[in-house]
Amino acid sequence: MVGKKGIIRPFFGLVVCVVMVLAVSVQRDKKVLGHDLGGRKPPQRSAAPADTLRTEKDGTVVVNTAVLARDITGYAGTVPLEIYIKDGTVMKVAALKNQETPEFFEEASVLLERWNGKPLEEAASLEVDAVSGATFTSKAIVGNMRRGLQYARKHAVEKSPGEKVDLSPRFFGGLLVVLMAAILPLFFKNKRYYLVQQVLDVGVLGFWCGSFLSWSSIVGYMSNGMNVVALAVPVVMLVTAFVYPLFGKKSHYCTYVCPFGALQQLAGKCVKRRVVLTPRIVKRLNAFRQILWVALMLCLWSGAWFEWMDYEPFSAFLFQSASWVVMAIAVVFVLLSAVVARPYCRFVCPTGSLFKFSQKGF
């Protein structure tokens, strides 16, 4: 049981963290939970603004999905498209400016040609699979196309059941594993189980589902809001990271859920002889983590360097689209963790620093 005094401090830390992330969303995206802060009124469902649909001189109809699909997000934000339709046929699909990591979007952008040359009716019913390694961006592209083509056919712009819930084995596998990590350690303490959970975190949540928390994803959720059904796995992760500490379960996400943390733990089991850091070195490394985090926060709040969020090593699990820099950072820390216990988690991780501040502050 946790008394009132035990809850007040982490609750205050959580509120401060929410405000911090909110400030980054406003600074970078100028919106919060999908609401534009530019003063524009949200469009009515029955009438999209004029720039949603335009007709060019040669008769080509262009559908802009920026408003139609404003609630459909990829890895870091919305993925608006322009769909060019002439004589009832999709001629081309062009991507508009978005906040996705360039490597992820380049990987997923091969989907843009799937609808070319298709009659409108056929294009609207076309089933397109997500690109492995860029799942969130792929689904955002597919969702934008569905909305845009539905609008072009003059149908009601409503979410299809397939957009609300991902019924793939990947979704259910990830949901099962994250629920195991969130619930079982509360009641079941066993080294063998812990090892199995680590393997599942790495294999299922990491490499198969590409699900993890990072500064980029957290800011994206704050800016664009979350479909709690479609994003059930990240929702559970957020609960373990920010809500569990209110009830005394500190670092639950980092210990039992985070796939990169689990990968470091597994790497450490491969070498019997470990380097034991002296208290003095640990103290200095902890000071380095705090200084680094403050510097990175100043970069975010000032707008000087948002891009550092793309270099956290978590996205290395999406190895088919991750940049070589991210892959190199991930490999270095995994190798280092074979001789030093969880070096990235303990002495670097900006996302982990956010969690620590939420729990107790520095």
Side-chain angles (χ1 to χ4, degrees):
M1 299 292 292
V2 179
K4 290 184 178 179
K5 292 183 179 179
I7 291 180
I8 291 176
R9 187 171 184 179
F11 179 77
F12 177 75
L14 175 59
V15 172
V16 173
C17 284
V18 170
V19 173
M20 286 164 38
V21 175
L22 179 66
V24 178
S25 298
V26 172
Q27 175 73 0
R28 188 188 74 171
D29 301 326
K30 302 297 186 294
K31 59 181 180 179
V32 177
L33 299 178
H35 299 287
D36 196 322
L37 301 181
R40 294 178 297 176
K41 294 182 178 180
Q44 299 296 320
R45 177 72 70 178
S46 58
D51 60 356
T52 295
L53 184 69
R54 71 176 190 272
T55 302
E56 299 190 336
K57 293 181 179 180
D58 63 352
T60 300
V61 174
V62 183
V63 178
N64 184 318
T65 68
V67 174
L68 296 177
R70 65 187 302 170
D71 61 323
I72 298 176
T73 60
Y75 177 70
T78 56
V79 185
L81 306 173
E82 282 192 336
I83 307 170
Y84 291 75
I85 303 168
K86 186 174 183 180
D87 298 329
T89 300
V90 177
M91 305 304 295
K92 70 174 183 178
V93 180
L96 300 177
K97 184 178 180 180
N98 59 68
Q99 297 290 338
E100 297 295 274
T101 303
E103 291 83 358
F104 291 169
F105 189 79
E106 183 179 356
E107 189 79 14
S109 64
V110 297
L111 297 179
L112 298 177
E113 299 181 358
R114 297 289 179 87
W115 291 269
N116 289 355
K118 298 286 193 304
L120 190 56
E121 295 296 324
E122 180 182 346
S125 60
L126 185 65
E127 294 292 332
V128 177
D129 294 329
V131 174
S132 177
T135 304
F136 293 120
T137 305
S138 299
K139 288 183 177 180
I141 290 175
V142 173
N144 272 261
M145 287 300 299
R146 285 175 178 165
R147 290 286 180 86
L149 293 170
Q150 285 173 351
Y151 182 75
R153 295 166 64 201
K154 297 183 180 180
H155 287 177
V157 183
E158 295 289 346
K159 278 191 173 182
S160 67
E163 290 175 346
K164 291 181 180 179
V165 183
D166 180 1
L167 299 178
S168 69
R170 180 186 287 117
F171 171 79
F172 287 110
L175 184 59
L176 175 62
V177 171
V178 79
L179 287 175
M180 288 174 56
I183 298 172
L184 292 184
L186 300 178
F187 308 99
F188 187 61
K189 303 294 183 181
N190 182 277
K191 290 184 178 180
R192 290 185 179 179
Y193 156 71
Y194 187 34
L195 177 61
V196 171
Q197 185 67 59
Q198 289 173 336
V199 173
L200 290 174
D201 289 344
V202 173
V204 177
L205 295 181
F207 287 110
W208 193 26
C209 300
S211 295
F212 44 78
L213 295 182
S214 65
W215 259 97
S216 181
S217 64
I218 292 171
V219 171
Y221 299 146
M222 177 64 75
S223 296
N224 303 291
M226 297 182 71
N227 181 327
V228 296
V229 178
L231 297 175
V233 174
V235 167
V236 175
M237 290 180 168
L238 288 169
V239 170
T240 61
F242 292 108
V243 179
Y244 273 32
L246 296 177
F247 302 95
K249 302 299 179 182
K250 297 179 180 179
S251 301
H252 188 96
Y253 173 81
C254 297
T255 304
Y256 298 105
V257 185
C258 177
F260 193 67
L263 183 57
Q264 291 176 83
Q265 292 274 33
L266 292 175
K269 298 180 185 298
C270 298
V271 178
K272 292 184 178 180
R273 299 187 64 179
R274 309 293 296 278
V275 174
V276 179
L277 302 179
T278 65
R280 184 178 181 181
I281 293 177
V282 171
K283 184 177 180 179
R284 290 182 175 179
L285 290 174
N286 280 329
F288 167 77
R289 175 182 60 81
Q290 295 174 19
I291 294 171
L292 174 65
W293 192 63
V294 170
L296 292 177
M297 294 307 98
L298 291 175
C299 288
L300 292 180
W301 298 330
S302 66
W305 189 32
F306 295 118
E307 290 76 12
W308 71 256
M309 293 187 291
D310 295 331
Y311 295 101
E312 289 189 283
F314 308 112
S315 57
F317 285 109
L318 308 174
F319 59 91
Q320 292 180 316
S321 56
S323 70
W324 70 268
V325 176
V326 170
M327 293 295 295
I329 293 173
V331 169
V332 167
F333 277 104
V334 170
L335 293 176
L336 187 59
S337 64
V339 292
V340 178
R342 299 181 298 113
Y344 185 80
C345 298
R346 296 165 64 195
F347 307 125
V348 179
C349 185
T351 301
S353 294
L354 179 69
F355 299 156
K356 286 181 180 292
F357 188 88
S358 174
Q359 294 164 17
K360 58 183 179 181
F362 284 122

